Every structure is written in C-alpha cells, then in structure tokens.
Amino acid sequence: MYETLTYTGGVHKSEEVKELIEDLGGFILQENILQMELVLNLAIPLEDVDIIKNKAKELLAKVTVAPMAGSEIAIVSPTLARHHLPHAACDISEYLREFGAKDNMIGLARGDGKGTSGITEEEKSLIEEHDVAVFALGSFKNCIQEKSFLYDDINVPVIVTGAPEIPIEELPGADAYVGGLGRIPRRLKRGPDIRALNDLVDTIEIILNNKKREMALDPPLVPSIVVKNAIENQVPAIEEVISPAPITVQLDGVRVKLNYDKYHELIENVVIEGKKLSDLAEIKKSFMYDYILVKIHTESSIIDDS
C-alpha cells in the first residue's frame, strides 16, 4: 500500500529527496517548480512515510498527506461563458489543487439557462474518464433541481455544489451535495466560502476513500503508479510533452498526453512484469485532445476470461 503525500520545499538539494523516493520504491506523481519552490506529489510505501518526513525536516521542507493525489477530478459547469465570470468553478479547481488533486475544468456546450441547458454523449464520456465529477451549479434551488438530468446517469461518483442547502434525496444521480458555493460576482476568499470549500474537500476525500475500498475488493492487476513509471521509462516521447503531468495518474489507470493514432502501439507494447500493457489494460482514445487513456483490468477479469 502507498500513501500519497505533497512535499513542499526549496529547489536546493531537491535531488536528495527525489533519490530517496526512488530508493524507497516510491513514485513522483507530479512535479512543479514555482520560482525557487519545489512541489512534489508523490506516492511512498506506508512504512516509509516517516523517512520522507525526517528528510523534509532536515531540508526545512514540509510534507502533508494528499489524499486526492493519484486521482483525476472533473470540475463541470453548465457554462464557462464570459457573462458568468468570475466563476465558482475556477476557485474550486484552484483550491482542490492545494490538496494534491489533478483536475480538469469542463464547460458544457449548451449549459446556460435551465430551459436550454443540455449535455451530449461525448461530454458524458469525457466526464466518465475521470475518477470523480464535481458539478458546480448556481444559486437557485429550483434551477439546481431541474438540472439533475445533466448528471443522473453519469457512471462515476458525482458531487453537486450550489448556494442553497438541498437534501441529497432531491438530487437524483448525485452522490453528495455541498452548499455555500453558488455563483457570485467575486472570488471565494471570505470565511464562509473557505468553510464551504473545506466541506467540498472533505466530501471528495470520503468518496475517493469509499471508491478505493470498493476497488480493494477487486483490485487492478497492477497499480496505476507502476504503469506510469513503466511508460516513463520505456516511451522516450513522454520527455517531449510540455503539458503539466504528461502522464496523469487515476485510481484505475493513467491518461497519457500523447496522440493516440501516433503512439498507441508504443504504449500497448510497454512491458510490466514480463507482460505487455495491452494484456493488462484497455488502451483507447480519450475524448480529451485524442490523448491515450489506459484503464487497467481488474483481477476478476482473469477469471471471467478463463
């Protein structure tokens, strides 16, 4: 089992931390350098967490648990159009990243107005490529309730946000609802806003932990971070990707930011423990920029195929 952590410290002597992570059998999920500050999202064996904390203390750095690291979250809004800015979804996205989340903002093509809002099958498929979807809706209870058709058949856990308090029973298809996050003409920087964002963080963590427990009953054939490491070591083209997180780790797979048509055969032939990745996972074209989506088969799939 691995623990996901966020390391925040200076760039000076950062190679010592990276080498220690590798020596312990851990993985770097994402690396960001902000001027002279280094931020690492990493996964480390549970029994070695104290070693990383002691090293961080030696280098005057900080280590915090990042339960959202290693997952990909969709922040969905009916629209990101100009007349709705500043948008709560922007602040939600920024806040979740502080807790190790890798999130993508998705604006629906026909979202504005409860009478004209809609969602396409392609948009649903894109949302379902993520581990969790957060639907950032508005300030009116009736409008939020009537827009439940946007997510009532989404096949990943759905969290809805809005301004009023609404019982979850009144939102068919939603797994959780967090109030206090409606559409307002300012940034979410005040006390009630921060408390609502913290409630959202807690809710996402609970849902991710529940999903991890369900997956433990029928786990993937290999951990997704092992797949990420293998692709990095065997596909040199990854080093040329300039997008953040060229390989984004999910709970049950990875998103590889390479063109599917050009590189899918290379990804299929990556070898893990003597087997091709194509034997361990479904490899398909993503609805996001024609990237490569890798979804790892579960242990029960071996029984089903035998």
Side-chain angles (χ1 to χ4, degrees):
M1 289 291 293
Y2 292 87
E3 180 69 276
T4 50
L5 306 170
T6 296
Y7 171 96
T8 306
V11 175
H12 179 60
K13 292 188 176 182
S14 61
E15 289 302 320
E16 294 183 15
V17 177
K18 296 178 185 177
E19 290 174 3
L20 178 59
I21 294 170
E22 184 177 348
D23 292 342
L24 295 173
F27 302 88
I28 295 175
L29 304 176
Q30 187 172 358
E31 176 180 349
N32 293 312
I33 296 178
L34 309 173
Q35 296 183 346
M36 295 303 293
E37 184 178 73
L38 172 71
V39 180
L40 294 176
N41 286 331
L42 58 107
I44 204 78
L46 278 171
E47 62 271 18
D48 296 326
V49 169
D50 288 339
I51 298 176
I52 293 294
K53 289 183 177 180
N54 291 335
K55 186 64 177 180
K57 186 176 181 180
E58 175 189 329
L59 298 178
L60 303 180
K62 182 175 68 173
V63 171
T64 55
V65 176
M68 294 188 204
S71 62
E72 190 175 28
I73 299 172
I75 311 296
V76 186
S77 176
T79 178
L80 296 175
R82 183 189 300 261
H83 65 278
H84 279 285
L85 294 176
H87 207 296
C90 303
D91 287 312
I92 289 172
S93 176
E94 179 182 329
Y95 200 76
L96 295 185
R97 290 171 189 168
E98 296 181 12
F99 293 84
K102 171 63 179 77
D103 60 73
N104 300 308
M105 293 184 64
I106 300 173
L108 302 180
R110 292 183 57 240
D112 56 321
K114 66 180 180 180
T116 59
S117 62
I119 186 170
T120 67
E121 288 301 318
E122 184 173 333
E123 288 170 336
K124 287 182 182 179
S125 297
L126 174 57
I127 293 167
E128 289 174 348
E129 291 181 0
H130 297 74
D131 294 306
V132 174
V134 177
F135 275 73
L137 301 184
S139 301
F140 301 104
K141 181 176 181 179
N142 178 260
C143 183
I144 295 172
Q145 291 173 321
E146 290 196 17
K147 285 184 177 178
S148 64
F149 68 90
L150 295 176
Y151 52 79
D152 61 5
D153 59 349
I154 298 291
N155 292 325
V156 295
V158 171
I159 302 170
V160 178
T161 71
E165 294 300 326
I166 304 175
I168 187 61
E169 295 79 17
E170 298 180 14
L171 300 175
D175 294 88
Y177 176 80
V178 177
L181 292 171
R183 189 171 291 121
I184 53 178
R186 58 174 173 80
R187 298 292 306 278
L188 299 177
K189 297 294 185 181
R190 300 178 183 176
D193 304 329
I194 300 301
R195 286 191 286 274
L197 288 170
N198 285 332
D199 287 343
L200 177 60
V201 168
D202 293 340
T203 301
I204 293 175
E205 291 178 2
I206 290 171
I207 285 180
L208 284 174
N209 287 334
N210 289 340
K211 190 169 182 179
K212 290 175 183 177
R213 280 193 288 269
E214 289 179 9
M215 289 176 59
L217 301 175
D218 186 18
L221 292 174
V222 291
S224 54
I225 51 178
V226 172
V227 174
K228 172 183 182 293
N229 193 52
I231 294 174
E232 287 175 336
N233 291 333
Q234 299 178 42
V235 182
I238 286 294
E239 298 179 4
E240 301 174 9
V241 178
I242 60 175
S243 299
I247 304 176
T248 300
V249 177
Q250 302 175 335
L251 294 182
D252 60 351
V254 297
R255 186 190 305 280
V256 185
K257 296 182 179 178
L258 292 171
N259 180 268
Y260 177 87
D261 293 331
K262 187 175 181 180
Y263 291 102
H264 74 92
E265 290 185 3
L266 280 175
I267 299 300
E268 290 169 0
N269 289 315
V270 166
V271 177
I272 300 175
E273 299 178 357
K275 295 183 179 180
K276 290 184 179 181
L277 184 55
S278 58
D279 296 329
L280 301 171
E282 179 185 6
I283 299 171
K284 57 186 179 180
K285 182 183 289 188
S286 169
F287 285 91
M288 181 183 294
Y289 304 124
D290 292 336
Y291 289 153
I292 301 170
L293 190 67
V294 179
K295 289 295 186 180
I296 306 167
H297 297 314
T298 61
E299 292 182 354
S300 66
S301 65
I302 300 176
I303 302 173
D304 294 339
D305 293 339
S306 60

